[in-house]
Amino acid sequence: MTVYNFCAGPAMLPPEVMKKAQAEFLNWQGLGVSVMEVSHRAKPFLAMVEECEASLRRLMNISDDFEVLFMHGGGRGQFAAVPLNLHQGDAPGVYIENGIWSNGATKEGAKFTQVESLNIRTDNNGQFDIQPVTQWNLPEQASFVHYCPNETIDGIEIFDVPKHNNAPIVADMSSMILSREINVDDFDLIYAGAQKNIGPSGLCIVIVRKTLLERDGLPRPAILDYAIEAKQGSMYNTPPTFAWYLAAEVFKYLEANGGVPKMQAHNQEKAALLYDYIDTSEFYSNKVAKHCRSLMNVPFWLRDDSLNALFLSEAEKVGLVALEGHRLVGGMRASIYNAMPVDGIKALIAFMEKFAKEHN
Ligand SMILES: *Cc1c(COP(=O)(O)O)cnc(C)c1O
């Protein structure tokens, strides 16, 4: 039975990459040992790391104005790192809130710096919606403006990029990095935990404008210090070597398969199939306004919540796993990152149709 894994994270990875990792698990590059067992300062590892960064730079078209860092601590590590590195004078950190993750970033930020948060959710009548970027009332004074382009739990995606005339724009791209084309120059700091579209957990990608490394910020642990990490080639301490290696393999795989433009088309096709089915069904619903529906995380609700447990167990029987919604929002959620094939979506829709018929 083919299993389709809809987990929100750690999420499914391209089977081709997993097979390659398996094949070279015990003997990486003919060294007779695993990539996990070599020094991060050994030549083959350093060569891998260099190519990994070059590959990501090509995929995202990242200019030399930016450092690319491979850090520890996942997305949440950056919730702390951002204010610690970017805090400036009396200016507050400005946080845009449109869901559970951006709210988490705000709360963490408030431990370290003065925070001004802007709630841009405009839910009404059970419909989830957001204010368009052009209507956000961003304060003139800000150390930085933080937002989350894809709210993984709420299923809300912001497709436009905010602008500020002096404060850097910081984006938590944990659940949408490499899923669609973006212009990196529109941002000043991008971060993403790896475990959704990139590789195993434990690694976090940080793309930071070099000029920001000159800020004093606040006293902080060296492992969260962008300038130190940049200077040390992301090896101030032992990096998560296996996760880094697997990320490099995923980047290689993406480059060999049409890069981000191809992924975007693939993701748009999958999301359209699933949302269209949900919208035409009387049995299922999605509560997010159409203009801000996530391409990566599709929450949906059954008409009758008492069928949730049965839906999940029946789905699992046919190989459709990890569809349970986040405990904070309930219902179901299909996370359909880059690695999810169109066939996975078709199998899910076929199952949903059958289940709806049987329980109508
Ligand atoms: C998953 C996720 C995180 C958290 O990442 P951790 O690696 O668990 O710290 C942060 N932000 C967003 C938007 C996420 O989807």
Side-chain angles (χ1 to χ4, degrees), residues 170-220:
V170 179
D172 173 2
M173 295 198 183
S174 294
S175 55
M176 54 66 74
I177 193 165
L178 297 168
S179 69
R180 59 176 165 87
E181 290 188 89
I182 59 154
N183 180 6
V184 171
D185 291 325
D186 290 344
F187 301 86
D188 300 284
L189 198 166
I190 290 168
Y191 65 87
Q195 68 272 25
K196 280 121 191 188
N197 255 343
I198 291 175
S201 58
L203 179 73
C204 186
I205 308 282
V206 177
I207 302 162
V208 55
R209 199 176 282 281
K210 286 176 181 166
T211 50
L212 288 180
L213 304 182
E214 289 154 20
R215 288 197 179 185
D216 290 337
L218 296 161
R220 55 193 175 271

Side-chain angles (χ1 to χ4, degrees), residues 71-85 108 112 191 193 204 206 223-224 226:
M71 296 178 73
H72 291 276
R76 281 189 188 273
Q78 295 305 312
F79 289 0
V82 166
L84 288 173
N85 283 275
E108 187 73 2
F112 307 109
Y191 65 87
C204 186
V206 177
I223 58 161
L224 292 182
Y226 297 143

Side-chain angles (χ1 to χ4, degrees), residues 38-349:
V38 299
S39 165
H40 53 295
R41 305 198 190 277
K43 261 196 190 136
F45 195 84
L46 292 175
M48 183 281 287
V49 152
E50 195 179 321
E51 175 50 24
C52 178
E53 178 178 332
S55 181
L56 182 64
R57 282 184 181 275
R58 290 190 295 268
L59 280 166
M60 293 183 68
N61 205 1
I62 303 169
S63 80
D64 285 342
D65 294 343
F66 292 85
E67 289 284 353
V68 177
L69 309 176
F70 295 81
M71 296 178 73
H72 291 276
R76 281 189 188 273
Q78 295 305 312
F79 289 0
V82 166
L84 288 173
N85 283 275
L86 301 191
H87 170 90
Q88 202 174 39
D90 300 329
V94 171
Y95 286 83
I96 308 302
E97 292 196 34
N98 58 311
I100 289 158
W101 283 112
S102 52
N103 177 257
T106 311
K107 284 183 180 146
E108 187 73 2
K111 293 179 188 169
F112 307 109
T113 191
Q114 189 202 330
V115 153
E116 200 165 318
S117 71
L118 236 72
N119 182 4
I120 56 144
R121 281 283 285 263
T122 56
D123 298 356
N124 68 61
N125 293 329
Q127 249 240 336
F128 302 160
D129 205 348
I130 56 166
Q131 272 174 19
V133 165
T134 48
Q135 286 173 25
W136 298 358
N137 201 0
L138 298 175
E140 196 55 33
Q141 286 294 311
S143 292
F144 56 86
V145 175
H146 179 283
Y147 85 114
C148 180
N150 185 58
E151 280 286 1
T152 320
I153 296 170
D154 308 76
I156 294 177
E157 187 153 354
I158 302 170
F159 293 94
D160 293 326
V161 181
K163 285 189 174 60
H164 194 281
N165 41 19
N166 54 62
I169 302 291
V170 179
D172 173 2
M173 295 198 183
S174 294
S175 55
M176 54 66 74
I177 193 165
L178 297 168
S179 69
R180 59 176 165 87
E181 290 188 89
I182 59 154
N183 180 6
V184 171
D185 291 325
D186 290 344
F187 301 86
D188 300 284
L189 198 166
I190 290 168
Y191 65 87
Q195 68 272 25
K196 280 121 191 188
N197 255 343
I198 291 175
S201 58
L203 179 73
C204 186
I205 308 282
V206 177
I207 302 162
V208 55
R209 199 176 282 281
K210 286 176 181 166
T211 50
L212 288 180
L213 304 182
E214 289 154 20
R215 288 197 179 185
D216 290 337
L218 296 161
R220 55 193 175 271
I223 58 161
L224 292 182
D225 191 309
Y226 297 143
I228 291 176
E229 286 292 0
K231 198 158 156 235
Q232 303 279 340
S234 302
M235 292 191 190
Y236 168 73
N237 70 329
T238 312
T241 54
F242 187 76
W244 202 340
Y245 148 81
L246 210 78
E249 291 298 327
V250 169
F251 297 158
K252 217 183 280 180
Y253 169 81
L254 290 176
E255 284 201 276
N257 286 278
V260 178
K262 192 70 188 288
M263 276 302 126
Q264 175 167 332
H266 168 69
N267 290 326
Q268 283 166 338
E269 180 189 357
K270 289 183 298 179
L273 279 172
L274 189 50
Y275 284 117
D276 284 352
Y277 170 67
I278 292 169
D279 286 344
T280 54
S281 155
E282 306 260 292
F283 195 84
Y284 305 99
S285 65
N286 171 278
K287 303 176 187 176
V288 181
K290 287 194 176 159
H291 69 103
C292 57
R293 283 178 167 178
S294 170
L295 292 174
M296 296 282 99
N297 311 93
V298 182
F300 61 91
W301 285 263
L302 276 60
R303 196 173 53 197
D304 176 2
D305 266 346
S306 70
L307 289 169
N308 284 356
L310 186 65
F311 180 92
L312 289 166
S313 67
E314 297 281 307
E316 221 172 291
K317 279 188 206 153
V318 295
L320 304 168
V321 305
L323 284 163
E324 187 167 14
H326 193 278
R327 65 189 187 284
L328 292 175
V329 295
M332 304 296 151
R333 173 174 49 167
S335 291
I336 54 174
Y337 300 114
N338 285 351
M340 176 60 66
V342 174
D343 280 348
I345 307 300
K346 289 184 176 162
L348 174 60
I349 293 172

